[in-house]
Amino acid sequence: MRLQWRLIYSGARAIAAGRHVVLAGYPVFPVPGQPSDTLVLIQDSPCCGAHASLAPDRAVEIHADAAVAACAGPVRVEGVWQPLSGDAAGWRYRIRDARVTPIADPWEAAGLNRRRFLALGALSGLAACAAPGGTRPLPARQAVPTIDMHSHAGHINLGRAPVPPPFTPVAAPMRAGGMDVVCMAIVTDSSVDHIVETASGRRRIVAYRDPEPGEMAARGEAAFLRLHALMAEQGLRAVLDAPGLAAARAAGGGVIVAAEGADFLEGDVGRLRDAWQRHALRHLQLTHYRVNELGDIQTAPPVHGGLTDFGAEVIRECNRLGIVVDVAHGTQALVARAAAVSARPLVLSHTALSQRPSRYSRAISPAHARLIADTDGVIGIWPVAATFPSLAAMAGGMRAMADAVGVRHVGVGSDMLGLLGPSVLNSYRKLPLLARALLDAGFTEDEAALMLGGNYARVWAATIAA
């Protein structure tokens, strides 16, 4: 029997004495750095033995069949389950005759079997993929890819500095943590905005000047080229169609080329088709930190009353070409018109739910969220530490959104390397820990698999079917 920590935390009533069990976790040794045949196993990595969470109901005593070399990483324990009563040291659970082996797979360290976990969220009946003569449903029990709906990983953005920073690893953390596909978003408007601090001490990004003619188009061209350079350097392939998404896992990681803000169009819808053809653009966020030609943004006073006519034209062209439409950063009025215009599901790639969002907040209300859900779209929850101080709290934020609009409409948008403050999901190596947090929050494995990628895959398939 493969144990989950939540069973132990709930009293281990489902685990019979004498049963052969397997449990993954982190070891705490009696003497740090010294081998021992008796140790304690806990769920999360301790900073040191003295600070480990050794509460009797949140730890398991291990009696190994041989001395175990001291290690700091996760281990796999296989042995016989033994509930304890009246133990002198206060322990409630023991695994005896145990074999202890180090593990490198982060999914196993999180107490999950990734292959089984991802195979559970079947997309049959939920999505369609392109096929000659029309569409067909995806095969039942097809493995669900994991997908980050919004990322700037690798330092792909040009930023405000004269020389962009060197690339940082993207592919290796993706493969280590099991992240199959990342929507990598270029940004063009950073040359016309800056960070300001409000009287309350809150930091905000605001536009301070209008761009020069051709400035946004030139920055868009440079940004797309930089993204493709990172992909070539790290062996990441562009995902172009439904079969490409399904093959991303086998290929060792894929990238959906995205843009955060359609400023590079500069009011010319013809540039959209050019980016689709030459740069493999397949995911377009209409607005960012500048009120542009497409519509209004959450973080500045409204100018257009929502989505402009040009914004509506861009959405229709995205529908025709097969480009996912992302309304993150747009006002509720923009989203309302976008939902009425689009013939395909919408995405709002990175945000959080709030019952009463403050002025200029990037959070959205339940009514705002339902506009996306009503298109059969997906809302990405982001890992801002100021909002969600832990992955467990982020899973709680996903629970709140699911309660408001349904599990079918919730996803993950990390905004990696794009946040003003700390992130609780600052590496794709932590994806298994988020998966475990979702299970601990009460989601089923099917539901968690959908939120970690299956829901976006459904929107992708419906969009690419165009």
Side-chain angles (χ1 to χ4, degrees):
M1 177 183 184
R2 187 180 185 89
L3 296 185
Q4 301 288 342
W5 282 97
R6 67 179 184 275
L7 293 178
I8 297 170
Y9 296 164
S10 64
R13 289 180 293 273
I15 312 171
R19 187 157 190 182
H20 186 85
V21 297
V22 177
L23 180 63
Y26 289 83
V28 178
F29 290 84
V31 179
Q34 296 295 317
S36 175
D37 60 2
T38 302
L39 54 140
V40 174
L41 196 70
I42 59 177
Q43 181 180 15
D44 295 308
S45 175
C47 58
C48 65
H51 295 105
S53 177
L54 297 181
D57 60 346
R58 303 185 72 83
V60 177
E61 186 184 44
I62 307 299
H63 285 195
D65 56 8
V68 179
C71 62
V75 297
R76 182 178 186 269
V77 176
E78 184 174 358
V80 179
W81 181 256
Q82 181 182 358
L84 301 174
S85 178
D87 181 76
W91 301 118
R92 295 178 57 182
Y93 316 113
R94 174 183 296 155
I95 298 177
R96 58 179 175 81
D97 304 324
R99 184 170 72 240
V100 181
T101 54
I103 56 178
D105 182 355
W107 285 85
E108 185 172 357
L112 301 170
N113 181 306
R114 181 174 188 260
R115 181 176 298 175
R116 175 175 175 271
F117 178 84
L118 294 180
L120 286 173
L123 299 181
S124 179
L126 299 179
C129 62
T135 63
R136 58 179 174 82
L138 289 169
R141 314 307 288 174
Q142 177 166 334
V144 180
T146 49
I147 304 172
D148 181 358
M149 297 165 56
H150 184 76
S151 176
H152 308 287
H155 283 300
I156 61 167
N157 289 345
L158 297 173
R160 301 170 183 82
V163 179
F167 294 135
T168 55
V170 179
M174 284 177 65
R175 290 161 188 158
M179 179 62 78
D180 296 320
V181 176
V182 173
C183 297
M184 296 277 276
I186 68 151
V187 173
T188 56
D189 66 344
S190 53
S191 63
V192 300
D193 59 39
H194 60 186
I195 300 171
V196 299
E197 188 169 314
T198 66
S200 63
R202 181 184 172 194
R203 300 170 74 211
R204 291 177 51 221
I205 298 176
V206 297
Y208 68 94
R209 68 174 178 89
D210 292 328
E212 298 295 330
E215 179 181 353
M216 295 291 97
R219 285 180 63 82
E221 180 72 12
F224 282 125
L225 293 176
R226 179 171 168 81
L227 171 55
H228 282 280
L230 177 142
M231 291 163 59
E233 179 182 290
Q234 301 195 21
L236 293 167
R237 301 182 183 183
V239 178
L240 303 176
D241 49 28
L245 186 66
R249 290 179 63 199
V255 169
I256 292 175
V257 175
E260 184 166 29
D263 304 83
F264 68 94
L265 299 180
E266 294 194 352
D268 181 0
V269 74
R271 290 193 172 115
L272 180 64
R273 181 173 184 84
D274 179 69
W276 180 83
Q277 286 181 320
R278 293 196 301 115
H279 300 306
L281 177 69
R282 295 295 185 272
H283 180 129
L284 179 67
Q285 182 179 311
L286 304 181
T287 60
H288 191 214
Y289 279 115
R290 168 180 168 263
V291 178
N292 63 15
E293 297 83 0
L294 288 83
D296 293 325
I297 60 176
Q298 293 173 289
T299 51
V303 174
H304 304 295
L307 184 75
T308 65
D309 290 343
F310 177 68
E313 182 184 3
V314 168
I315 289 175
R316 295 187 187 99
E317 184 69 357
C318 285
N319 289 171
R320 189 181 72 80
L321 292 171
I323 298 174
V324 173
V325 176
D326 186 347
V327 291
H329 285 258
T331 61
Q332 185 170 335
L334 179 148
V335 174
R337 188 181 180 194
V341 168
S342 181
R344 305 291 172 180
L346 296 177
V347 160
L348 200 162
S349 59
H350 53 300
T351 187
L353 187 70
S354 172
Q355 294 302 318
R356 292 183 178 83
S358 61
R359 187 186 187 195
Y360 302 146
S361 170
R362 280 277 296 108
I364 62 173
S365 68
H368 194 149
R370 283 192 289 271
L371 291 170
I372 303 298
D374 288 347
T375 71
D376 202 23
V378 185
I379 301 160
I381 303 302
W382 62 359
V384 179
T387 304
F388 304 121
S390 67
L391 287 174
M394 181 182 174
M398 296 175 76
R399 164 61 69 190
M401 187 65 79
D403 289 345
V405 297
V407 169
R408 180 180 176 88
H409 307 295
V410 182
V412 174
S414 75
D415 205 0
M416 193 167 293
L417 295 184
L419 298 173
L420 286 180
S423 167
V424 296
L425 185 63
N426 56 6
S427 171
Y428 292 124
R429 298 178 190 275
K430 292 185 176 180
L431 182 64
L433 299 180
L434 176 58
R436 187 183 68 194
L438 291 172
L439 299 182
D440 291 343
F443 291 107
T444 67
E445 289 176 319
D446 284 15
E447 291 170 335
L450 289 174
M451 291 187 292
L452 292 177
N455 289 331
Y456 184 90
R458 182 191 75 248
V459 171
W460 170 266
T463 301
I464 295 300

